[in-house]
Amino acid sequence: MRASAPGSTSSPTNGAILRSNDRGKTWQRADLPFRNGGNEPGRSLGERLAVDPNDGNVILFGTRANGFWKSIDRGATWKRVDSFPAIAASESASTEGRWGRPLGIAFVHFDAQRHAIYAGVATKETSLYRSTDGGETWSAIENQPIGLRPNHCAHASDGSLY
């Protein structure tokens, strides 16, 4: 058995996305430019893969240790969003102890009515971020609670973010 380095998955190959153009009758494989494991620490956190409800070609994927990624062609190709804060892969966004691995980006959430995107990072530091330009740039949400690890989010009918 081969041991994995902290922050990596046990698979020696990159992940993949399966996508369909015909509502699931047939599928195409699109390889990801990074490793991704479904059984890694933090697997109970929120949805890290999200499709833009205003444009089904746009998909965002927040990883555990490889940053934030965007596809504009329904998942066929991916580009890293370098403007997302580096805290996503820092030590403070990791599990503890001997098996410490990054938890990274916990969720991605589109607010279709306000044309905003929210992302949470599993860290006890600044952890909630918003983009109002389709995920190109990100800023920390002001007056957010510190010391908690966000794991999901939802909007109420009055626009409040929970």
Side-chain angles (χ1 to χ4, degrees):
M1 175 183 260
R2 192 186 73 169
S4 297
S8 69
T9 66
S10 58
S11 173
T13 60
N14 289 349
I17 295 283
L18 297 178
R19 51 196 202 101
S20 176
N21 293 322
D22 55 12
R23 299 179 185 222
K25 291 179 184 174
T26 61
W27 294 90
Q28 300 83 42
R29 177 187 170 114
D31 292 327
L32 295 172
F34 50 84
R35 292 179 182 174
N36 184 46
N39 202 27
E40 294 179 318
R43 61 189 168 270
S44 63
L45 298 175
E47 300 298 326
R48 299 180 298 130
L49 179 73
V51 178
D52 186 338
N54 295 313
D55 182 353
N57 291 312
V58 176
I59 305 173
L60 299 178
F61 191 3
T63 70
R64 295 285 179 249
N66 297 293
F68 203 80
W69 294 77
K70 181 177 183 177
S71 172
I72 59 172
D73 56 9
R74 300 178 55 248
T77 60
W78 294 86
K79 179 182 177 234
R80 186 178 172 126
V81 179
D82 291 326
S83 64
F84 196 83
I87 188 70
S90 78
E91 286 298 317
S92 70
S94 298
T95 57
E96 300 186 16
R98 186 169 85 117
W99 300 106
R101 292 184 182 168
L103 297 176
I105 298 166
F107 64 82
V108 180
H109 175 75
F110 281 93
D111 180 353
Q113 293 180 339
R114 291 164 195 80
H115 298 284
I117 306 166
Y118 296 87
V121 179
T123 177
K124 292 181 180 179
E125 297 176 22
T126 301
S127 57
L128 297 173
Y129 296 89
R130 175 179 38 235
S131 174
T132 57
D133 60 4
E136 295 301 314
T137 60
W138 294 85
S139 59
I141 295 176
E142 294 180 11
N143 301 316
Q144 64 178 275
I146 303 296
L148 306 170
R149 289 184 194 247
N151 57 36
H152 293 80
C153 83
H155 271 93
S157 58
D158 67 359
S160 296
L161 183 67
Y162 289 92

